[in-house]
Amino acid sequence: MTAGTTSPDPETLPAQLYWSAEAWEIERREIWAKSWVLIGRVSQLEAPGDYISATIAGYPVFAIRGKDGALRCFHNVCRHRASPLVGGDCTGHTDRLSCPYHRWLYDFEGNLRGAPDMEIDKSAYGLVPARCETWRGFVFVALDADVEPLDAWLSDISTVALRHPIETMKLARQFSVEADINWKTYCDNYAEAWHIPTIHPGLNGAIDMRGYRIDAIGLRVQRHYAPARDGGQTDGLWVWRLPGLFFNMYNWGMNIGQVEPLGPTRMRLTYRYLFNELDPAKEKERDELIEWAYTVAKEDLAICQAVQANLQAGIYDRGRLSSVHENGVIQFQELVSAAHARHARQV
C-alpha cells in the first residue's frame, strides 16, 4: 500500500514489517524520532535537579529542571564512553549530574564541567540535546530538531481534549505492561471497532455500537466515539494522536495510554488513569472503573499476541482492508507506508 491510495479495499502492510529488524530501524528513525512523546507530568519536575528518564524507540533520554528554572532534555548518554547518566525509565532528583562510570561531570544545561585526569576541550563534549516542551501539565520530548512545535503537533486534539480539565485532574494509578507484540499490530487493532462485539463483551454491553463512529483526520489523528447503551457503564470518546498517544475519555475520567516500541516484536503500554478528584470515599468505585477499563486493554493484548504469532509464522503475507469498517486502519497504515517511502528515497 502506498500513501494516498484510492483503492476502495487496499492491501494491508506486508507481514515482514511486523517482525523484521530492518523495518524496526526505519520506523524508529522515520516515525518515532520525528514525533513528540509523552514522558511525564510537569508536577514531577518542580525543583532544580528533578528529572524524568525515558526510552523512545530505543533512544534513552532524560528531562531535567535547571537551576534557572528551565526544562531541558538530553540523550541519556555520557560523551566519554556512553554510560547512562541517570537510571532508565524513572523519576528522581540529583544535585550533581555525574556519570556513575568514570565521573564525568555535567551541569543541568548539558555542559561538560569535569573530566577527571583528562585534558580535553570541554566545550566539544556537552550532552546531546533533545527537544522538550509542555502541554496542559504534561512533558513531551522530541528527538528530531525539525519536528513542529508541540502545540501545533497536538492542535487537532486540543479542542476535543478540553472535554476534561486535564491540567487539574488527579492521577489515580499509573502502570506499564509489556508484551511480545509489534507496536503496529496493537495500533491496527486500536484503529477499528469491528472487533468489539467479538473481543470485548463488557465494552460491547456498555456502548451502542450502532452509533460508533471513527473519524480519520489527515495522517495523524483519529477520533472514535460511541454513545452509552441504555444502562451501560460509560460512554466513550477515544482520540489517537498517531503514532502512539491515546486519550481515552469517559464520563468518569480519562485514561491516557501510550504505546512504546521496544524492538521488532516487543512493545510496552503505559496507562495513566486520571479523575477530577480523588475522594477517599470513592476509592472502591475508582478501582472498579480502572479494572473495567484495563480488562478491555487485556482483551486487546490477548488477540494482538495471537495475531503477532501468525504474522511471524510465514503463512500470511498481505490481506485486504475494508473501506467501510477499517478506515482507521487504512489511515494508520498510510502513515507507516509514507515513512518507509521516505526512507527508500533517501537510500
Side-chain angles (χ1 to χ4, degrees), residues 75-155:
H75 287 261
N76 190 12
V77 181
C78 180
R79 294 293 305 280
H80 177 213
R81 282 181 40 205
S83 169
L85 292 166
V86 300
D89 299 325
C90 65
T91 60
H93 175 85
T94 183
D95 295 321
R96 289 165 53 88
L97 200 52
S98 178
C99 177
Y101 198 8
H102 300 100
R103 296 182 294 121
W104 275 33
L105 180 67
Y106 300 88
D107 61 26
F108 295 162
E109 288 73 49
N111 303 302
L112 179 63
R113 294 303 186 190
D117 299 323
M118 298 181 69
E119 295 294 332
I120 61 173
D121 178 5
K122 294 183 179 63
S123 66
Y125 289 93
L127 296 178
V128 178
R131 293 174 61 187
C132 185
E133 295 183 18
T134 63
W135 177 84
R136 302 194 67 185
F138 290 90
V139 180
F140 288 77
V141 169
L143 303 180
D144 193 315
D146 295 327
V147 177
E148 62 186 324
L150 180 61
D151 281 346
W153 194 82
L154 289 170
S155 61

Side-chain angles (χ1 to χ4, degrees), residues 1-6 10 13 219 329-339:
M1 182 171 61
T2 58
T5 180
T6 57
L13 296 170
L219 274 178
V329 183
I330 293 170
Q331 179 208 31
F332 169 66
Q333 295 197 3
E334 291 272 353
L335 177 143
V336 174
S337 293

Side-chain angles (χ1 to χ4, degrees), residues 16-28 184 340:
Q16 185 178 12
L17 295 192
Y18 292 83
W19 53 261
S20 78
E22 180 184 5
W24 156 244
E25 290 297 333
I26 292 170
E27 290 161 13
R28 68 192 290 259
K184 298 186 298 298
H340 282 268

Side-chain angles (χ1 to χ4, degrees), residues 96-335:
R96 289 165 53 88
L97 200 52
S98 178
C99 177
Y101 198 8
H102 300 100
R103 296 182 294 121
W104 275 33
L105 180 67
Y106 300 88
D107 61 26
F108 295 162
E109 288 73 49
N111 303 302
L112 179 63
R113 294 303 186 190
D117 299 323
M118 298 181 69
E119 295 294 332
I120 61 173
D121 178 5
K122 294 183 179 63
S123 66
Y125 289 93
L127 296 178
V128 178
R131 293 174 61 187
C132 185
E133 295 183 18
T134 63
W135 177 84
R136 302 194 67 185
F138 290 90
V139 180
F140 288 77
V141 169
L143 303 180
D144 193 315
D146 295 327
V147 177
E148 62 186 324
L150 180 61
D151 281 346
W153 194 82
L154 289 170
S155 61
D156 289 331
I157 69 169
S158 291
T159 54
V160 178
L162 288 173
R163 170 176 170 174
H164 292 279
I166 302 175
E167 297 92 334
T168 59
M169 292 183 78
K170 306 297 191 299
L171 182 66
R173 193 184 305 177
Q174 175 176 332
F175 60 91
S176 298
V177 294
E178 296 185 10
D180 292 327
I181 301 168
N182 179 276
W183 72 278
K184 298 186 298 298
T185 305
Y186 177 84
C187 290
D188 283 344
N189 176 80
Y190 189 97
E192 50 92 358
W194 209 2
H195 69 279
I196 289 178
T198 52
I199 302 299
H200 302 303
L203 180 60
N204 189 54
I207 60 176
D208 185 352
M209 286 299 297
R210 295 171 300 178
Y212 202 109
R213 299 289 182 270
I214 297 177
D215 299 320
I217 305 169
L219 274 178
R220 65 187 196 176
V221 174
Q222 278 183 27
R223 179 184 183 273
H224 297 221
Y225 171 73
R229 191 188 296 270
D230 290 343
Q233 190 169 14
T234 187
D235 64 349
L237 175 62
W238 302 274
V239 183
W240 176 17
R241 199 331 176 165
L242 284 64
L245 183 62
F246 310 96
F247 292 88
N248 306 309
M249 291 173 272
Y250 304 97
N251 53 20
W252 49 263
M254 177 184 295
N255 167 26
I256 299 178
Q258 185 153 5
V259 61
E260 175 192 340
L262 301 177
T265 59
R266 191 157 180 83
M267 54 163 272
R268 176 188 297 146
L269 279 172
T270 297
Y271 301 100
R272 296 173 174 90
Y273 292 93
L274 301 146
F275 291 80
N276 290 327
E277 47 79 28
L278 295 181
D279 183 351
K282 296 181 179 180
E283 182 176 3
K284 183 175 183 295
E285 178 182 342
R286 286 194 302 273
D287 287 345
E288 289 174 349
L289 288 169
I290 290 172
E291 289 305 317
W292 178 86
Y294 185 44
T295 295
V296 177
K298 288 187 288 186
E299 292 164 349
D300 281 326
L301 290 173
I303 188 62
C304 286
Q305 285 178 312
V307 169
Q308 183 67 38
N310 273 352
L311 287 167
Q312 295 175 233
I315 303 301
Y316 177 94
D317 181 30
R318 303 183 78 150
R320 305 298 297 190
L321 291 170
S322 166
S323 58
V324 175
H325 296 288
E326 295 170 313
N327 63 308
V329 183
I330 293 170
Q331 179 208 31
F332 169 66
Q333 295 197 3
E334 291 272 353
L335 177 143

